[in-house]
């Protein structure tokens, strides 16, 4: 079954969708879009570290993404605003990673595959890493759902209910680092943030509760992954960017549907 590269690619896309979509809801609710982008950019430096020390390819991005997220969280507000700190750290780590890769001698690397993804080359081992990572992220989010949601909506109420907003933020940081590490093979470091944000943003106007939004986001992300893979195969386009384009098309479609439904509702009320 897994000898077919398209089947492996489809399962890889679904695994990333399952992990990224519910986490992306918290990214949207907390307005952490730039935070996710910065963490993903830092993963390029992790790739260089993995190649330097002959470590598993997901290990370097996981460690660097986690360190980046913790560092930015701890330093923000002390000297610079959060967006300034994220901008400096994101672009610096991306540049350092690209320069570090160029210094690696005796290593042949397709840098474009790590920047924009290479889902069609996913191996069975890659697939195992993706789904194990997705299972860890889903377990973290499901087990801490009440604390994460309450800390997102009202930190003071979370304190009163016995939850620590800082601890919940750290859990989100760990989950984000895992998603970045496992998604690099599928959509690449430059497009991971899109898979976090776009499905969640698409699901938002179509959902009445946070739980429904998370489920709808997973469905949208899975549809975008499979639809983008099919379109890439049909039109011979880069698969990672095509998946993101499909996700963006669904975002535009959901916005149009939401406006039509609202307009129809207003007409019904006026009548």
């Amino acid at each position: 079954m897994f000898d077919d590269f398209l089947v492996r690619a489809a399962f890889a896309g679904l695994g990333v969708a399952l992990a990224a979509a519910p986490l992306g809801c918290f990214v949207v609710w907390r307005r952490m879009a730039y935070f996710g982008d910065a963490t993903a950019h830092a993963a390029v430096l992790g790739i260089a570290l993995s190649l330097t020390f002959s470590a598993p390819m997901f290990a370097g991005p996981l460690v660097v993404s986690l360190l980046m997220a913790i560092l930015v969280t701890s330093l923000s507000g002390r000297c610079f605003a959060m967006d300034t700190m994220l901008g400096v750290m994101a672009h610096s780590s991306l540049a350092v990673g690209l320069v570090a890769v160029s210094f690696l001698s005796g290593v042949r690397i397709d840098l474009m595959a790590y920047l924009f993804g290479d889902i069609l080359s996913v191996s069975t081992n890659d697939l195992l890493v993706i789904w194990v990572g997705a299972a860890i992220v889903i377990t973290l989010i499901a087990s801490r759902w009440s604390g994460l949601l309450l800390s997102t909506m009202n930190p003071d109420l979370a304190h009163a209910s016995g939850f620590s907003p800082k601890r919940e933020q750290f859990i989100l940081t760990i989950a984000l680092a895992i998603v970045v590490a496992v998604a690099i093979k599928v959509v690449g470091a430059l497009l991971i943030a899109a898979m976090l944000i776009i499905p969640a943003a698409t699901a938002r106007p179509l959902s009445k509760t946070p739980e429904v939004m998370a489920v709808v986001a997973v469905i949208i992300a899975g549809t975008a992954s499979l639809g983008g893979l099919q379109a890439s195969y049909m039109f011979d386009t880069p698969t990672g960017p095509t998946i993101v384009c499909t996700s963006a098309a669904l975002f535009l479609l959901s916005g149009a549907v939401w406006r039509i439904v609202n307009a129809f509702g207003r007409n019904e009320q006026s009548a």
Side-chain angles (χ1 to χ4, degrees):
M1 178 179 181
F2 292 103
D3 290 335
D4 190 335
F5 72 97
L6 283 177
V7 175
R8 290 196 301 270
F11 274 98
L14 290 175
V16 170
L18 190 62
L23 180 62
C25 293
F26 287 99
V27 171
V28 170
W29 292 330
R30 288 174 174 255
R31 298 178 181 178
M32 293 170 56
Y34 204 8
F35 187 86
D37 205 28
T39 307
H41 285 180
V44 177
L45 180 58
I47 292 170
L49 291 177
S50 290
L51 291 171
T52 300
F53 296 103
S54 300
M57 192 51 66
F58 72 91
L62 176 62
V63 172
V64 173
S65 297
L66 186 57
L67 290 176
M68 162 69 82
I70 294 173
L71 182 62
V72 171
T73 301
S74 61
L75 292 180
S76 63
R78 296 188 179 182
C79 301
F80 301 98
M82 173 67 89
D83 59 343
T84 302
M85 182 63 66
L86 287 172
V88 171
M89 298 297 290
H91 296 98
S92 297
S93 58
L94 176 62
V96 171
L98 293 174
V99 171
V101 168
S102 70
F103 279 109
L104 294 177
S105 59
V107 176
R108 299 189 65 180
I109 176 175
D110 182 6
L111 194 57
M112 294 295 289
Y114 291 106
L115 292 178
F116 299 103
D118 190 12
I119 190 174
L120 297 181
S121 67
V122 167
S123 65
T124 305
N125 289 336
D126 293 329
L127 205 54
L128 179 62
V129 169
I130 289 171
W131 277 91
V132 168
I136 294 173
V137 171
I138 292 299
T139 301
L140 283 174
I141 293 176
S143 63
R144 303 300 306 173
W145 179 263
S146 297
L148 289 170
L149 189 60
L150 200 56
S151 298
T152 298
M153 302 305 176
N154 193 325
D156 293 333
L157 184 58
H159 265 301
S161 302
F163 297 106
S164 171
K166 288 187 177 180
R167 181 181 62 197
E168 305 306 328
Q169 172 71 30
F170 184 66
I171 290 172
L172 277 181
T173 297
I174 294 174
L176 184 60
I178 294 173
V179 168
V180 168
V182 302
I184 252 188
K185 189 77 172 180
V186 176
V187 291
L190 299 184
L191 298 176
I192 292 173
M195 289 302 292
L196 283 167
I197 298 165
I198 298 178
T202 305
R204 192 168 194 172
L206 305 177
S207 310
K208 293 184 177 180
T209 66
E211 292 78 9
V212 171
M213 180 174 165
V215 173
V216 173
V218 169
I219 294 172
I220 290 170
T223 302
S225 296
L226 296 180
L229 180 62
Q230 179 66 27
S232 172
Y233 183 74
M234 290 175 58
F235 301 109
D236 193 24
T237 55
T239 309
T242 304
I243 290 174
V244 175
C245 287
T246 305
S247 186
L250 292 175
F251 172 75
L252 294 176
L253 180 61
S254 75
V257 170
W258 181 74
R259 288 183 177 85
I260 292 172
V261 170
N262 276 358
F264 182 76
R266 287 195 296 268
N267 291 336
E268 287 289 327
Q269 289 178 355
S270 60

